[in-house]
Amino acid sequence: MKIYKVVFTLRTPGGRSTTITGLYSPDESKTMTQQEMREEVTRYIQDKVASRPQLSRSWVKLKEFIRADIDFVYNAVSDKAE
């Protein structure tokens, strides 16, 4: 299981900035380069930001894309570990 820690900076037109942090798990059925994975997760965040009218003129920059050292993920709702 590949999981990456991703960190973005979101800057609004007024000059305010905030950090968005998340985990990204690529579709392992696709063969993707690290650059393609970066582009995919950046597009996802850009689309989420663009869908919020109050953030529509903001920009997003990927600051960190690091493979996380994770052995498993436990989902309490489904009671499954991956």
Side-chain angles (χ1 to χ4, degrees):
M1 171 186 298
K2 292 181 184 177
I3 295 182
Y4 295 85
K5 176 185 175 192
V6 293
V7 178
F8 291 91
T9 297
L10 169 69
R11 185 169 305 264
T12 63
R16 298 181 106 195
S17 66
T18 190
T19 300
I20 301 170
T21 304
L23 297 174
Y24 166 69
S25 179
D27 181 350
E28 293 188 17
S29 69
K30 298 178 186 175
T31 303
M32 296 171 62
T33 65
Q34 196 170 76
Q35 182 59 38
E36 290 169 327
M37 290 187 279
R38 288 172 180 250
E39 291 169 2
E40 180 180 62
V41 72
T42 299
R43 274 192 308 275
Y44 170 79
I45 292 296
Q46 287 172 334
D47 290 347
K48 288 293 183 186
V49 168
S51 72
R52 303 185 86 169
Q54 69 271 30
L55 299 175
S56 63
R57 294 185 358 242
S58 301
W59 61 263
V60 176
K61 180 178 181 181
L62 179 63
K63 288 176 45 179
E64 195 174 303
F65 188 88
I66 299 172
R67 183 154 183 187
D69 187 17
I70 295 175
D71 295 314
F72 72 94
V73 174
Y74 175 73
N75 184 333
V77 174
S78 67
D79 196 31
K80 292 182 181 177
E82 294 181 28

